[in-house]
Amino acid sequence: GDSVTQMEGPVTLSEEAFLTINCTYTATGYPSLFWYVQYPGEGLQLLLKATKADDKGSNKGFEATYRKETTSFHLEKGSVQVSDSAVYFCALSATYGGSQGNLIFGKGTKLSVKP
Amino acid sequence: EAGVVQSPRYKIIEKKQPVAFWCNPISGHNTLYWYRQNLGQGPELLIRYENEEAVDDSQLPKDRFSAERLKGVDSTLKIQPAELGDSAVYLCASSPQTSTDTQYFGPGTRLTVL
Protein backbone atom coordinates (compact mmCIF):
# COMPACT_ATOMS: atom_id res chain seq x y z
CA GLY A 1 0.00 0.00 0.00
CA ASP A 2 0.87 3.67 -0.08
CA SER A 3 3.29 4.95 2.57
CA VAL A 4 5.34 7.97 3.62
CA THR A 5 8.81 8.00 5.17
CA GLN A 6 10.24 11.17 6.65
CA MET A 7 13.47 11.90 8.43
CA GLU A 8 13.41 11.30 12.13
CA GLY A 9 13.96 14.09 14.56
CA PRO A 10 14.32 15.93 16.62
CA VAL A 11 16.03 18.58 14.56
CA THR A 12 17.59 21.50 16.41
CA LEU A 13 18.73 24.59 14.51
CA SER A 14 19.85 28.10 15.31
CA GLU A 15 17.75 31.02 14.14
CA GLU A 16 18.38 31.95 10.48
CA ALA A 17 19.79 28.50 9.66
CA PHE A 18 18.73 26.57 6.55
CA LEU A 19 16.17 23.83 7.05
CA THR A 20 15.65 20.61 5.11
CA ILE A 21 13.29 17.84 6.22
CA ASN A 22 13.39 14.84 3.92
CA CYS A 23 10.25 13.02 2.82
CA THR A 24 9.91 10.11 0.41
CA TYR A 25 6.80 8.22 -0.56
CA THR A 26 5.57 4.97 -2.06
CA ALA A 27 2.33 4.99 -4.02
CA THR A 28 0.64 2.86 -6.63
CA GLY A 29 -0.79 5.89 -8.42
CA TYR A 30 -0.10 9.61 -8.55
CA PRO A 31 -0.93 11.10 -5.16
CA SER A 32 -1.17 14.67 -4.04
CA LEU A 33 1.52 15.52 -1.49
CA PHE A 34 1.25 17.69 1.61
CA TRP A 35 3.17 19.17 4.47
CA TYR A 36 1.19 19.78 7.65
CA VAL A 37 2.52 21.58 10.74
CA GLN A 38 1.46 21.07 14.34
CA TYR A 39 2.36 23.82 16.79
CA PRO A 40 2.44 22.96 20.50
CA GLY A 41 -1.06 22.44 21.84
CA GLU A 42 -2.73 22.99 18.48
CA GLY A 43 -4.22 20.91 15.68
CA LEU A 44 -2.63 20.18 12.33
CA GLN A 45 -2.50 23.02 9.83
CA LEU A 46 -1.87 22.66 6.14
CA LEU A 47 1.48 24.26 5.33
CA LEU A 48 1.69 23.57 1.60
CA LYS A 49 0.67 21.07 -1.05
CA ALA A 50 1.49 19.91 -4.58
CA THR A 51 -0.83 17.92 -6.79
CA LYS A 52 1.35 16.78 -9.69
CA ALA A 53 4.94 16.12 -10.64
CA ASP A 54 7.28 19.14 -10.69
CA ASP A 55 4.74 21.32 -8.85
CA LYS A 56 6.26 23.48 -6.12
CA GLY A 57 4.22 24.23 -3.05
CA SER A 58 5.17 27.26 -0.99
CA ASN A 59 3.91 29.14 2.06
CA LYS A 60 5.44 31.28 4.83
CA GLY A 61 8.92 30.90 3.32
CA PHE A 62 8.68 27.10 3.19
CA GLU A 63 8.94 25.27 -0.13
CA ALA A 64 8.68 21.69 -1.37
CA THR A 65 8.86 20.30 -4.91
CA TYR A 66 7.03 17.17 -6.05
CA ARG A 67 9.78 14.95 -7.54
CA LYS A 68 8.28 11.95 -9.26
CA GLU A 69 11.64 10.52 -10.37
CA THR A 70 12.93 10.33 -6.80
CA THR A 71 9.47 9.96 -5.18
CA SER A 72 10.35 12.79 -2.83
CA PHE A 73 8.79 15.95 -1.40
CA HIS A 74 11.48 17.51 0.79
CA LEU A 75 10.58 20.56 2.88
CA GLU A 76 12.99 23.52 2.84
CA LYS A 77 13.26 26.98 4.34
CA GLY A 78 16.13 29.34 3.82
CA SER A 79 16.10 31.02 7.23
CA VAL A 80 14.17 29.55 10.15
CA GLN A 81 12.75 31.53 13.05
CA VAL A 82 12.04 30.56 16.64
CA SER A 83 8.33 30.67 15.76
CA ASP A 84 8.87 27.79 13.28
CA SER A 85 9.41 25.41 16.18
CA ALA A 86 6.77 22.70 15.69
CA VAL A 87 6.23 19.16 14.45
CA TYR A 88 6.12 18.78 10.66
CA PHE A 89 4.24 15.96 8.96
CA CYS A 90 4.59 14.84 5.37
CA ALA A 91 1.47 13.21 3.92
CA LEU A 92 0.01 11.87 0.71
CA SER A 93 -3.51 11.26 -0.47
CA ALA A 94 -4.05 7.53 -0.96
CA THR A 95 -4.46 6.39 -4.54
CA TYR A 96 -6.04 2.94 -4.24
CA GLY A 97 -9.56 1.60 -4.01
CA GLY A 98 -11.89 2.69 -1.25
CA SER A 99 -9.11 4.58 0.54
CA GLN A 100 -8.60 6.98 -2.33
CA GLY A 101 -8.32 10.49 -1.01
CA ASN A 102 -7.53 9.48 2.57
CA LEU A 103 -4.39 11.05 3.98
CA ILE A 104 -1.44 8.82 4.91
CA PHE A 105 1.03 10.56 7.21
CA GLY A 106 4.67 10.14 8.05
CA LYS A 107 5.71 9.92 11.70
CA GLY A 108 6.52 13.60 11.98
CA THR A 109 9.72 15.55 12.54
CA LYS A 110 10.05 17.81 15.56
CA LEU A 111 11.89 21.04 14.84
CA SER A 112 13.31 23.24 17.58
CA VAL A 113 14.82 26.60 16.67
CA LYS A 114 17.10 28.28 19.21
CA PRO A 115 17.52 32.07 19.35
CA GLU B 1 -15.16 31.35 9.07
CA ALA B 2 -15.16 29.02 12.07
CA GLY B 3 -12.85 26.04 11.92
CA VAL B 4 -13.49 22.45 12.90
CA VAL B 5 -14.73 22.30 16.47
CA GLN B 6 -14.09 19.37 18.77
CA SER B 7 -15.06 18.66 22.35
CA PRO B 8 -13.97 17.89 24.90
CA ARG B 9 -10.34 18.97 24.50
CA TYR B 10 -9.19 16.61 27.24
CA LYS B 11 -10.69 13.50 28.79
CA ILE B 12 -9.38 11.22 31.52
CA ILE B 13 -11.24 7.99 32.23
CA GLU B 14 -10.73 4.64 33.92
CA LYS B 15 -10.31 1.59 31.69
CA LYS B 16 -13.52 -0.21 30.77
CA GLN B 17 -15.47 3.06 30.93
CA PRO B 18 -17.21 4.47 27.85
CA VAL B 19 -16.19 7.76 26.24
CA ALA B 20 -17.52 9.90 23.40
CA PHE B 21 -16.00 12.63 21.28
CA TRP B 22 -17.91 15.22 19.31
CA CYS B 23 -16.98 17.05 16.11
CA ASN B 24 -18.60 19.92 14.24
CA PRO B 25 -17.02 20.34 10.79
CA ILE B 26 -16.62 23.54 8.81
CA SER B 27 -19.97 24.66 7.46
CA GLY B 28 -20.65 23.22 4.02
CA HIS B 29 -18.00 20.51 4.23
CA ASN B 30 -19.49 17.22 3.11
CA THR B 31 -16.58 14.93 3.99
CA LEU B 32 -15.63 14.26 7.60
CA TYR B 33 -12.72 12.21 8.93
CA TRP B 34 -11.77 10.80 12.31
CA TYR B 35 -8.07 10.11 12.95
CA ARG B 36 -6.19 8.72 15.91
CA GLN B 37 -2.73 10.08 16.70
CA ASN B 38 -0.57 8.07 19.08
CA LEU B 39 2.25 9.80 20.90
CA GLY B 40 5.17 10.50 18.58
CA GLN B 41 3.33 9.23 15.51
CA GLY B 42 1.41 10.67 12.59
CA PRO B 43 -2.40 10.54 12.49
CA GLU B 44 -4.03 7.35 11.25
CA LEU B 45 -7.49 7.31 9.70
CA LEU B 46 -10.27 5.58 11.62
CA ILE B 47 -13.31 6.43 9.49
CA ARG B 48 -14.38 8.70 6.65
CA TYR B 49 -17.88 10.01 6.04
CA GLU B 50 -19.29 11.47 2.87
CA ASN B 51 -22.40 13.27 4.05
CA GLU B 52 -24.05 10.78 6.43
CA GLU B 53 -22.56 7.66 4.83
CA ALA B 54 -19.47 5.95 6.26
CA VAL B 55 -17.56 5.22 3.03
CA ASP B 56 -14.34 3.92 4.61
CA ASP B 57 -14.38 2.35 8.07
CA SER B 58 -11.84 -0.37 7.32
CA GLN B 59 -9.47 0.85 10.06
CA LEU B 60 -12.11 1.29 12.76
CA PRO B 61 -11.89 -1.37 15.51
CA LYS B 62 -15.53 -2.26 15.39
CA ASP B 63 -15.58 -4.39 18.51
CA ARG B 64 -15.30 -1.31 20.72
CA PHE B 65 -15.44 1.76 18.47
CA SER B 66 -18.52 3.22 16.83
CA ALA B 67 -19.26 6.45 15.02
CA GLU B 68 -22.22 8.26 13.61
CA ARG B 69 -22.90 11.34 11.56
CA LEU B 70 -26.58 12.06 11.74
CA LYS B 71 -27.94 14.52 9.17
CA GLY B 72 -24.52 14.70 7.56
CA VAL B 73 -23.18 17.47 9.80
CA ASP B 74 -21.94 16.78 13.35
CA SER B 75 -20.30 13.51 14.22
CA THR B 76 -19.70 11.47 17.35
CA LEU B 77 -17.01 8.86 17.91
CA LYS B 78 -17.52 6.45 20.80
CA ILE B 79 -15.34 3.92 22.55
CA GLN B 80 -16.93 1.31 24.77
CA PRO B 81 -15.23 -0.05 26.76
CA ALA B 82 -11.98 1.92 26.70
CA GLU B 83 -8.65 0.15 27.06
CA LEU B 84 -5.27 1.48 28.16
CA GLY B 85 -4.02 1.36 24.56
CA ASP B 86 -6.74 3.78 23.47
CA SER B 87 -4.86 6.68 25.06
CA ALA B 88 -4.17 9.02 22.14
CA VAL B 89 -5.30 12.25 20.50
CA TYR B 90 -8.46 11.87 18.42
CA LEU B 91 -8.58 14.29 15.53
CA CYS B 92 -11.52 15.30 13.40
CA ALA B 93 -11.03 16.81 9.95
CA SER B 94 -13.32 17.97 7.17
CA SER B 95 -13.04 18.83 3.49
CA PRO B 96 -15.48 20.51 1.11
CA GLN B 97 -16.20 17.52 -1.10
CA THR B 98 -14.87 14.12 -1.94
CA SER B 99 -12.81 15.35 -4.87
CA THR B 100 -11.02 17.94 -2.76
CA ASP B 101 -7.79 16.80 -1.15
CA THR B 102 -7.20 19.51 1.42
CA GLN B 103 -8.41 18.53 4.87
CA TYR B 104 -8.90 20.98 7.71
CA PHE B 105 -8.22 19.66 11.19
CA GLY B 106 -9.73 20.42 14.56
CA PRO B 107 -7.61 20.81 17.71
CA GLY B 108 -8.24 17.22 18.79
CA THR B 109 -9.33 15.48 21.98
CA ARG B 110 -6.56 14.10 24.15
CA LEU B 111 -7.78 10.89 25.80
CA THR B 112 -5.99 9.36 28.76
CA VAL B 113 -7.14 5.93 29.93
CA LEU B 114 -5.98 4.98 33.43
Side-chain angles (χ1 to χ4, degrees):
Chain A
D2 297 354
S3 65
V4 173
T5 302
Q6 64 180 102
M7 68 183 280
E8 295 189 14
V11 174
T12 302
L13 296 173
S14 298
E15 208 165 23
E16 299 184 2
F18 183 85
L19 169 71
T20 299
I21 301 178
N22 290 337
C23 172
T24 58
Y25 68 91
T26 302
T28 53
Y30 301 98
S32 295
L33 302 174
F34 306 82
W35 278 100
Y36 277 84
V37 59
Q38 190 172 35
Y39 297 104
E42 299 184 15
L44 277 80
Q45 301 174 23
L46 179 66
L47 182 59
L48 52 84
K49 63 183 273 190
T51 58
K52 62 182 186 297
D54 300 325
D55 269 2
K56 177 185 284 188
S58 61
N59 186 26
K60 299 181 181 180
F62 290 89
E63 293 184 339
T65 301
Y66 190 142
R67 301 288 188 196
K68 180 182 171 185
E69 61 277 11
T70 55
T71 61
S72 65
F73 193 55
H74 305 321
L75 182 68
E76 296 181 336
K77 187 175 185 181
S79 176
V80 294
Q81 305 300 311
V82 172
S83 57
D84 294 326
S85 298
V87 181
Y88 293 81
F89 292 93
C90 185
L92 62 78
S93 59
T95 59
Y96 54 92
S99 297
Q100 192 169 7
N102 295 343
L103 288 179
I104 296 173
F105 287 86
K107 292 185 176 181
T109 302
K110 183 176 182 179
L111 170 67
S112 296
V113 181
K114 307 290 188 185
Chain B
E1 180 183 88
V4 176
V5 179
Q6 290 188 247
S7 69
R9 290 294 309 274
Y10 305 91
K11 189 74 175 179
I12 301 174
I13 60 172
E14 300 280 337
K15 63 181 180 181
K16 300 185 181 180
Q17 294 300 305
V19 64
F21 315 122
W22 176 79
C23 172
N24 180 242
I26 294 172
S27 178
H29 281 196
N30 296 326
T31 306
L32 184 146
Y33 309 79
W34 283 102
Y35 289 86
R36 177 168 60 188
Q37 185 177 16
N38 292 314
L39 188 64
Q41 303 293 315
E44 295 178 328
L45 182 75
L46 291 173
I47 188 168
R48 181 177 99 231
Y49 282 93
E50 293 176 8
N51 298 303
E52 65 275 8
E53 182 182 359
V55 296
D56 187 356
D57 63 357
S58 58
Q59 301 303 311
L60 188 73
K62 298 180 182 65
D63 57 336
R64 297 183 298 107
F65 286 65
S66 63
E68 61 182 11
R69 190 183 184 198
L70 300 177
K71 301 182 180 178
V73 182
D74 295 0
S75 178
T76 302
L77 178 69
K78 298 178 181 178
I79 308 175
Q80 182 171 11
E83 297 179 351
L84 295 177
D86 295 330
S87 295
V89 176
Y90 292 83
L91 296 166
C92 179
S94 68
S95 63
Q97 52 189 324
T98 57
S99 61
T100 303
D101 290 328
T102 301
Q103 297 179 25
Y104 299 86
F105 284 79
T109 297
R110 182 176 296 277
L111 173 67
T112 301
V113 182
L114 302 177

